[in-house]
């Protein structure tokens, strides 16, 4: 069955997008919590596989389904490639560790707590110092619609042009959340990328594909002058490739890959 989404306020026409299977449902909070934690651990393993680990930098968070003012996050100083479900730490929006016995990255709290508080619809948010994302961020520009994949971020990405050092203050987290607004992503100038989603799968996929889009545009501009997709066509493509369900579905082959390759992530 073909999904026909409502046209957004931008004026884009209503378009047909490829069908996707239904999202999973859960009978209990415990079941949903485990699902989110497993996807979160898998996302870290995939980030390592894509080369997004950089020392102790980077974090992905998942809101707890029952304690919605709390989120799960990676322990500070553990390599993404080694993170297991049992390693994840639960912290509340006041910075108190609720579950777990390892410290968390202060920048993770300062940024993610404010994003989760400002956006009740955001289940997960991802940030890492990926090579192409941080390189593109130094230009202080949004991505252009030069490819179909880049159209996922067309008119759905913010720019935070206020770098002042490592983010330890929640007031800066508030400003980052404001720059994100209701969008799926924000480019943190001189810093990197941050993506958000209604599922862990979606947030992780947006980060992976956004970093690749940064790489693509850097390569295209090094080779010549890229040709942008026309505005109306970019809006159509944005609906076709940029929806939450599409982002979730794009992650599923990666989930299947990493869960079979590295089953110890479930420990």
């Amino acid at each position: 069955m073909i999904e026909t989404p409502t046209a957004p306020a931008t004026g884009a026409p209503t378009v047909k997008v490829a069908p996707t299977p239904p999202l999973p449902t859960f009978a209990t909070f415990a079941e949903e919590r485990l699902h989110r934690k497993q996807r979160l651990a898998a996302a870290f393993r995939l980030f390592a596989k894509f080369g997004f680990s950089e020392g102790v930098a980077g974090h992905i968070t998942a809101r707890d389904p029952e304690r919605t003012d709390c989120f799960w996050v990676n322990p500070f100083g553990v390599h993404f490639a080694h993170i297991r479900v049992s390693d994840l730490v639960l912290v509340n929006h006041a910075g108190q560790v609720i579950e777990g016995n390892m410290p968390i990255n202060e920048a993770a709290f300062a940024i993610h707590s404010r994003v989760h508080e400002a956006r009740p619809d955001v289940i997960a948010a991802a940030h890492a110092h990926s090579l192409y994302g941080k390189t593109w961020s130094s230009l202080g520009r949004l991505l252009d619609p030069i490819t179909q994949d880049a159209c996922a971020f067309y008119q759905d990405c913010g720019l935070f042009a206020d770098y002042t050092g490592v983010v330890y203050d929640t007031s800066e987290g508030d400003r980052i959340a404001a720059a994100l607004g209701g969008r799926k992503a924000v480019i943190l100038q001189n810093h990197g990328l941050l993506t958000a989603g209604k599922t862990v799968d979606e947030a992780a996929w947006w980060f992976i594909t956004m970093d690749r889009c940064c790489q693509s545009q850097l390569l295209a501009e090094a080779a010549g002058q890229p040709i942008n997709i026309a505005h109306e066509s970019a809006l159509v493509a944005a609906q076709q490739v940029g929806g939450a369900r599409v982002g979730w579905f794009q992650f599923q082959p990666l989930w299947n890959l990493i869960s079979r390759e590295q089953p110890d992530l479930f420990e």
Side-chain angles (χ1 to χ4, degrees), residues 17-42:
V17 301
T20 59
L23 271 65
T25 57
F26 309 95
T28 65
F29 286 130
E31 186 181 325
E32 186 169 11
R33 178 178 299 112
L34 179 60
H35 176 85
R36 290 186 188 182
K37 291 174 70 177
Q38 289 175 341
R39 297 294 165 131
L40 188 56

Side-chain angles (χ1 to χ4, degrees), residues 34-226:
L34 179 60
H35 176 85
R36 290 186 188 182
K37 291 174 70 177
Q38 289 175 341
R39 297 294 165 131
L40 188 56
F44 284 116
R45 298 294 183 101
L46 286 164
F47 272 33
K49 202 173 186 65
F50 278 95
F52 297 159
S53 54
E54 181 100 359
V56 300
H59 16 86
I60 314 173
T61 54
R63 190 190 300 273
D64 188 82
E66 183 176 12
R67 295 164 285 191
T68 56
D69 63 340
C70 299
F71 55 86
W72 296 92
V73 66
N74 49 308
F76 193 38
V78 177
H79 197 282
F80 287 175
H82 294 160
I83 290 177
R84 303 166 299 172
V85 169
S86 60
D87 295 321
L88 298 171
V89 178
L90 183 67
V91 61
N92 65 19
H93 289 178
Q96 300 168 317
V97 172
I98 308 302
E99 289 188 29
N101 55 11
M102 295 185 70
I104 65 164
N105 187 326
E106 289 185 35
F109 167 72
I111 297 172
H112 290 254
S113 66
R114 313 327 286 170
V115 169
H116 281 291
E117 188 164 48
R119 290 278 303 277
D121 63 308
V122 164
I123 298 302
H127 167 66
H129 294 184
S130 57
L131 178 60
Y132 300 109
K134 67 184 178 182
T135 302
W136 179 260
S137 77
S138 70
L139 303 178
R141 294 167 50 195
L142 298 177
L143 288 166
D144 294 325
I146 64 169
T147 65
Q148 176 175 291
D149 295 326
C151 287
F153 304 98
Y154 189 60
Q155 295 194 347
D156 200 14
C157 179
L159 176 65
F160 179 71
D162 187 22
Y163 181 80
T164 58
V166 178
V167 182
Y168 290 131
D169 193 327
T170 54
S171 65
E172 185 163 350
D174 286 328
R175 297 198 302 278
I176 289 172
L180 174 66
R183 307 173 187 92
K184 66 162 63 78
V186 60
I187 294 170
L188 310 178
Q189 186 174 301
N190 308 112
H191 189 172
L193 313 175
L194 185 143
T195 58
K198 294 180 185 222
T199 59
V200 174
D201 313 55
E202 182 196 354
W205 170 253
W206 294 141
F207 191 96
I208 291 166
T209 191
M210 191 176 188
D211 188 75
R212 298 295 289 274
C213 288
C214 291
Q215 180 184 12
S216 175
Q217 187 156 354
L218 288 165
L219 287 170
E221 292 192 358
Q225 180 59 53

Side-chain angles (χ1 to χ4, degrees), residues 39 42 46 251-262:
R39 297 294 165 131
L46 286 164
F251 184 80
Q252 302 318 302
L254 296 176
W255 159 260
N256 292 333
L257 171 71
I258 204 68
S259 60
R260 292 176 188 177
E261 277 188 356
Q262 301 180 26

